[in-house]
Amino acid sequence: MPNKSELDLQNIFFDFGQDLQELEHSEADTSISIVDFVRREVDLGAGFKLTQGQMLILKILYGVDLTESDSTLLDYWRTEDKTTWNRKKVPSPQVLVLECGRRSGKTTVCSLIAAYEFYCLCKNPNPQEYYE
């Protein structure tokens, strides 16, 4: 996290507004998946990378196809009673309850979800009509 002296507080909102204008004038692409968003749009910091479990949680929540290694991890979680999710009964859940230990990345995952939803909202040419 940058020090307070490194932040340009005078221009922070101006820069944010400029970024939003660039988004507004760019091609409307609300179809970007959460996986692509995390890989292309989010700067997670030097050397920081999501774990397979964190990425799996995002994939499940947004209905992204799972890889074979994702399915293996999900099966392991199921045998260890660490998940109750069944993709045949609930293909894409709308509620997420994370029972994870301290420092397991819950805040990171939730922050990525919020950033992705905001990104999709900004890319939508008419959010008011979409949410009516």
Side-chain angles (χ1 to χ4, degrees):
M1 186 165 139
N3 295 330
K4 288 182 182 179
S5 60
E6 294 175 13
L7 291 175
D8 183 6
L9 296 178
Q10 297 289 359
N11 294 320
I12 194 167
F13 290 109
F14 177 77
D15 293 342
F16 181 69
Q18 292 290 86
D19 291 343
L20 284 179
Q21 283 183 341
E22 288 174 18
L23 269 177
E24 183 178 301
H25 296 298
S26 68
E27 187 176 318
D29 177 19
T30 56
S31 62
I32 184 172
S33 75
I34 186 75
V35 175
D36 292 335
F37 173 76
V38 169
R39 289 186 180 145
R40 293 190 324 207
E41 302 293 337
V42 178
D43 179 12
L44 295 174
F48 184 81
K49 188 175 178 183
L50 291 181
T51 65
Q52 183 185 5
Q54 290 170 322
M55 190 62 82
L56 177 58
I57 290 167
L58 294 173
K59 286 180 179 181
I60 289 171
L61 185 64
Y62 286 97
V64 177
D65 292 334
L66 304 180
T67 64
E68 190 173 323
S69 63
D70 292 334
S71 296
T72 302
L73 179 59
L74 191 57
D75 290 339
Y76 171 74
W77 284 352
R78 203 171 284 116
T79 60
E80 297 289 318
D81 287 331
K82 295 183 185 279
T83 185
T84 57
W85 180 69
N86 183 337
R87 86 179 81 181
K88 292 176 183 163
K89 292 181 181 177
V90 183
S92 185
Q94 293 182 337
V95 175
L96 183 64
V97 177
L98 295 175
E99 293 183 17
C100 305
R102 291 175 52 190
R103 303 190 49 81
S104 61
K106 296 181 294 289
T107 301
T108 301
V109 169
C110 292
S111 298
L112 289 172
I113 291 168
Y116 177 68
E117 290 294 330
F118 184 69
Y119 176 86
C120 290
L121 181 69
C122 289
K123 294 291 279 186
N124 192 323
N126 190 349
Q128 296 87 347
E129 185 177 288
Y130 179 79
Y131 286 104
E132 280 185 334

